[in-house]
């Protein structure tokens, strides 16, 4: 039976100001990452089990990969997991980490630009440094945000877990836990998928997921979603290219992608913008939900006159306002304020903030591939504060009992929670 290869931990020089995993992976972008008691984040991604952890100066990553192309068996193989001391030449885990976490842009410089343009951002941002917009797979983003309708992060995460367990390919077991990757669109097109998803608690979203999978897989065909991507933010391994002139309502490619997504089942303006921003790389996309609308009313004077309620015109006006402040990365800047408004991070708003002088010295990687040099900068850094553990009930809620890949029995009705 196939065993797994667990590569040794590698590291990249990334400070907490440039990336904070505890914020970025919990702020409602991606819903499949799980954090262990020893502060390791793990997810099945691109055919491997990817583990991440972080200290004050470095991002550490490790991949666990099947020995061959066949999926590991269920239950776990009796063959032990091997540890590989050296990286193979064809291992692309570092490239995947750099791409997925979007480590290219200089986040310190971006925060400075956004703070200069907006006093409210300057006030909130110091307590929420290191928030990056992930470069997720477009299909995963689409599925996740269809599930987000009238929902919260915990329940969306549960739904994504169920989707992967019941319809996704198993990558392998790590510490006795099975890890499943995202199902393809075609995996959700079979007869009976909708009724099975209703049994699993997806409610009215079951129909949207099933019908959208059919549209993406059969009507549009393979590669359609990626054709809507921002060419400046292409898929892994593809060279970026220009995306055109930035206009008040966003670039032409963004507006086209948004319009195309609206034709899918379960996709309204907000979900379309979430997919554009977090799955297609259009940084100017500004999803406006209840949180963002409250921010716009409270901090940007959208509570009076013709914008006293969240109409289509007001939705567009909020996006245009933020784009006028922050430019083609307005969605990224808005996500920092969105994060600041989430209840799970509310303790940071009362945390003391102090000014520190940070000197980024020359850093040379152990493999001699790259030397990173930063000049001395001035930044606002949050004083130490307690970050809450994941919701206490998450582990209990995500323990799936009696998992079956084929639905059985009658569908049960569930009352939709609001």
């Amino acid at each position: 039976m196939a065993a797994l290869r667990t590569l040794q931990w590698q590291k990249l020089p990334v400070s907490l100001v440039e990336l904070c995993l505890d914020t970025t992976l919990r702020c409602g972008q991606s819903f499949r990452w799980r954090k262990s008691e020893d502060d390791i984040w793990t997810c099945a991604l691109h055919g491997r089990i990817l583990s991440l952890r972080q200290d004050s100066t470095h991002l550490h990553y490790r991949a666990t990969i099947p020995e061959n192309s066949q999926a590991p068996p269920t239950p776990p193989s009796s063959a032990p997991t091997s540890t590989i001391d050296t990286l193979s030449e064809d291992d692309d885990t570092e490239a995947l980490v750099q791409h997925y976490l979007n480590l290219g842009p200089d986040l310190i410089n971006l925060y400075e630009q956004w703070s200069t343009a907006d006093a409210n951002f300057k006030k909130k941002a110091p307590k929420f440094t290191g928030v990056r917009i992930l470069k997720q797979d477009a299909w995963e983003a689409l599925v996740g945000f269809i599930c987000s309708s009238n929902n919260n992060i915990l329940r969306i995460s549960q739904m994504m877990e169920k989707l992967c367990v019941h319809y996704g390919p198993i990558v392998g077991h790590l510490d006795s836990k099975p890890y499943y990757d995202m199902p393809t669109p075609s995996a959700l097109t079979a007869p009976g998928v909708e009724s099975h998803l209703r049994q699993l608690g997806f409610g009215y979203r079951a129909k949207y997921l099933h019908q959208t999978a059919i549209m993406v897989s059969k009507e549009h065909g393979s590669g359609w979603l990626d054709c809507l991507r921002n060419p400046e933010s292409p898929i892994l391994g593809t060279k970026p290219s220009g995306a055109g002139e930035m206009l008040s309502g966003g670039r032409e490619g963004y507006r086209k992608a948004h319009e195309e997504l609206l034709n899918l089942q379960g996709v309204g303006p907000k979900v379309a913008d979430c997919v554009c921003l977090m799955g297609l790389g259009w940084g100017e996309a500004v999803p406006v939900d209840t949180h963002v609308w409250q921010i716009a009313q409270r901090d940007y004077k959208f509570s009076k006159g013709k914008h006293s309620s969240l109409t289509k015109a007001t939705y567009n006006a909020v996006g245009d306002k933020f784009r006028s402040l922050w430019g083609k990365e307005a969605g990224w800047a808005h996500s920092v304020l969105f994060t600041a408004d989430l209840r799970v991070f509310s303790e940071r708003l009362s945390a003391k903030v102090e000014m520190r002088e940070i000197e980024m010295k020359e850093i040379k990687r152990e493999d001699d591939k790259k030397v990173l040099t930063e000049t001395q900068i001035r930044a606002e850094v949050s004083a130490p504060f307690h970050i809450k553990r994941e919701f206490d009930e998450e582990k209990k809620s995500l323990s799936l009992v009696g998992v079956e890949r084929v639905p059985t029995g009658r569908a049960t009705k569930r009352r939709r929670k609001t």
Side-chain angles (χ1 to χ4, degrees):
M1 293 190 292
L4 297 177
R5 293 185 301 139
T6 296
L7 304 180
Q8 292 220 337
W9 285 100
Q10 304 295 320
K11 63 182 181 180
L12 294 170
V14 181
S15 72
L16 286 167
V17 179
E18 284 282 2
L19 169 70
C20 179
L21 287 178
D22 278 330
T23 308
T24 299
L25 298 182
R26 296 172 64 203
C27 67
Q29 293 189 62
S30 179
F31 306 100
R32 295 198 298 122
W33 288 91
R34 297 291 175 265
K35 189 179 182 182
S36 67
E37 292 295 330
D38 50 356
D39 294 333
I40 296 175
W41 290 93
T42 309
C43 181
L45 202 67
H46 286 238
R48 76 204 76 193
I49 303 171
L50 183 62
S51 300
L52 303 173
R53 58 182 170 85
Q54 190 172 24
D55 57 36
S56 60
T57 59
H58 287 81
L59 170 69
H60 302 258
Y61 66 91
R62 181 184 67 185
T64 301
I65 306 173
E67 285 281 12
N68 53 44
S69 59
Q70 296 179 350
T74 304
S77 168
S78 58
T81 300
S82 61
T83 301
I84 306 300
D85 292 331
T86 58
L87 295 174
S88 61
E89 293 183 0
D90 59 348
D91 178 63
D92 64 346
T93 302
E94 180 181 335
L96 173 60
V97 169
Q98 293 265 13
H99 176 85
Y100 182 84
L101 295 175
N102 197 12
L103 295 180
D106 183 342
L107 192 55
I108 294 174
N109 183 52
L110 285 174
Y111 268 55
E112 288 177 349
Q113 291 178 29
W114 298 333
S115 295
T116 300
D118 178 24
N120 183 54
F121 186 93
K122 184 177 182 179
K123 177 182 177 182
K124 298 285 181 64
K127 299 170 186 178
F128 294 91
T129 57
V131 177
R132 287 190 177 266
I133 294 296
L134 303 173
K135 289 188 177 182
Q136 293 185 81
D137 175 76
W139 168 245
E140 177 173 348
L142 176 59
V143 170
F145 288 109
I146 288 177
C147 290
S148 74
S149 175
N150 295 316
N151 221 339
N152 58 53
I153 293 175
L154 176 60
R155 291 193 66 232
I156 301 166
S157 298
Q158 294 169 359
M159 289 179 176
M160 294 295 282
E161 177 88 353
K162 292 175 183 178
L163 268 178
C164 293
V165 168
H166 287 268
Y167 294 100
I170 186 169
V171 176
H173 291 75
L174 185 63
D175 299 327
S176 301
K177 175 181 171 55
Y179 284 86
Y180 297 82
D181 215 332
M182 272 294 294
T184 62
S186 60
L188 301 180
T189 61
V193 167
E194 180 183 339
S195 62
H196 185 211
L197 291 179
R198 288 185 182 275
Q199 290 180 29
L200 294 175
F202 284 74
Y204 63 90
R205 305 169 195 86
K207 178 180 179 180
Y208 294 155
L209 290 171
H210 178 55
Q211 292 184 347
T212 290
I214 292 174
M215 295 178 72
V216 171
S217 177
K218 298 183 178 180
E219 297 180 17
H220 292 295
S222 175
W224 172 72
L225 277 173
D226 285 328
C227 288
L228 302 178
R229 291 192 69 89
N230 180 356
E232 293 179 352
S233 180
I235 61 175
L236 179 62
T238 304
K239 186 177 179 180
S241 59
E245 180 184 2
M246 180 64 185
L247 305 173
S248 61
R251 287 165 287 189
E252 181 180 352
Y254 155 64
R255 297 198 303 272
K256 177 184 177 182
H258 189 270
E259 183 179 351
E260 291 282 341
L261 291 171
L262 289 175
N263 294 321
L264 300 175
Q265 292 293 311
V267 177
K270 190 266 290 189
V271 170
D273 271 328
C274 287
V275 178
C276 282
L277 176 63
M278 302 169 208
L280 297 175
W282 291 105
E284 65 263 49
V286 179
V288 181
D289 65 357
T290 302
H291 290 288
V292 178
W293 173 231
Q294 290 172 347
I295 292 169
Q297 290 177 298
R298 183 185 66 229
D299 301 329
Y300 297 94
K301 300 180 180 179
F302 272 86
S303 58
K304 298 180 181 180
K306 63 181 180 180
H307 295 312
S308 59
S309 60
L310 187 53
T311 62
K312 183 179 184 299
T314 302
Y315 184 101
N316 294 335
V318 171
D320 290 344
K321 171 65 175 180
F322 289 164
R323 281 185 283 270
S324 72
L325 285 173
W326 304 312
K328 69 177 185 178
E329 297 296 351
W332 192 336
H334 123 287
S335 295
V336 177
L337 298 184
F338 173 87
T339 301
D341 208 54
L342 291 176
R343 184 178 302 174
V344 69
F345 297 119
S346 60
E347 76 279 3
R348 297 194 192 182
L349 295 177
S350 58
K352 180 182 178 182
V353 177
E354 57 188 39
M355 294 295 297
R356 298 179 187 173
E357 194 79 16
I358 299 178
E359 183 179 0
M360 304 293 287
K361 298 180 180 179
E362 185 178 86
I363 300 174
K364 189 172 183 180
R365 285 182 34 164
E366 294 176 356
D367 57 10
D368 292 327
K369 284 185 178 180
K370 187 186 299 184
V371 175
L372 302 178
T373 305
E374 293 285 350
T375 58
Q376 195 171 37
I377 60 169
R378 186 149 181 89
E380 293 185 63
V381 181
S382 297
F385 51 79
H386 173 69
I387 298 178
K388 292 180 181 178
R389 285 280 179 183
E390 299 300 292
F391 299 100
D392 292 338
E393 59 191 70
E394 181 172 4
K395 289 184 179 180
K396 180 170 61 178
S397 300
L398 292 178
S399 299
L400 303 176
V401 181
V403 171
E404 296 289 343
R405 311 268 300 180
V406 180
T408 59
R410 297 178 59 189
T412 58
K413 294 183 179 180
R414 294 172 61 95
R415 185 171 62 184
R416 184 172 65 193
K417 295 182 180 180
T418 58

